[in-house]
Amino acid sequence: MPNNRKDRLSKKFDGECRACGATGVPLEIHYIVPLSSGGTDDESNLTLLCPNCNRTIANRQFTEIEFNHYLSRILDNSNAFHDIRMEERLSREKPFRADITAKSQDGKSWLIECKNASAFTPASA
């Protein structure tokens, strides 16, 4: 990945790890949605993490709530989203909620439902 991309991201994120807030450490580019899961190489899908957070995220299975907190923090620290809320109840008539809701700069509302990978794994017989 070109160094100028990392430089632009570092400037955008004030040289800070988007997960833990660490500064003054080497930062690594991290795909918010991995390429293997359909993510793109576009800068809107990239963030910066310190090596510790990057390894923790890459080598670990998160519970759904842990991942919701991780994603919510990344959105919170992004200039592209605002009004980020977790566990938002969307309807009184039907018990419907979204794990995370957010508004993007273009005025669109986002409803994000996060699933743990185990939710898609068949149970052992």
Side-chain angles (χ1 to χ4, degrees):
M1 202 166 295
N3 242 3
N4 58 354
R5 178 178 273 186
K6 187 174 179 181
D7 292 341
R8 285 194 305 273
L9 289 169
S10 185
K11 184 174 181 179
K12 176 180 177 180
F13 298 129
D14 297 322
E16 180 179 280
C17 173
R18 305 320 290 162
C20 73
T23 58
V25 298
L27 297 172
E28 300 172 352
I29 293 176
H30 177 78
Y31 289 90
I32 297 168
V33 177
L35 296 174
S36 62
S37 298
T40 67
D41 202 32
D42 187 69
E43 284 188 23
S44 64
N45 187 43
L46 302 175
T47 192
L48 291 177
L49 299 176
C50 69
N52 188 44
C53 287
N54 203 13
R55 300 302 168 268
T56 299
I57 291 166
N59 297 324
R60 177 163 187 242
Q61 289 291 324
F62 285 94
T63 65
E64 184 176 334
I65 193 68
E66 287 172 325
F67 183 77
N68 291 352
H69 282 283
Y70 158 74
L71 183 57
S72 179
R73 177 159 175 131
I74 287 176
L75 293 174
D76 250 347
N77 290 319
S78 167
N79 295 331
F81 293 93
H82 59 92
D83 199 23
I84 292 104
R85 298 175 188 208
M86 291 188 59
E87 297 293 329
E88 179 86 11
R89 185 173 176 166
L90 302 172
S91 170
R92 292 186 188 273
E93 296 79 40
K94 295 180 182 179
F96 181 72
R97 65 160 186 81
D99 288 334
I100 301 171
T101 59
K103 293 191 174 150
S104 55
Q105 295 297 356
D106 60 7
K108 293 180 182 174
S109 292
W110 292 77
L111 308 176
I112 303 167
E113 181 68 22
C114 302
K115 293 291 179 197
N116 184 313
S118 65
F120 302 105
T121 305
S124 301

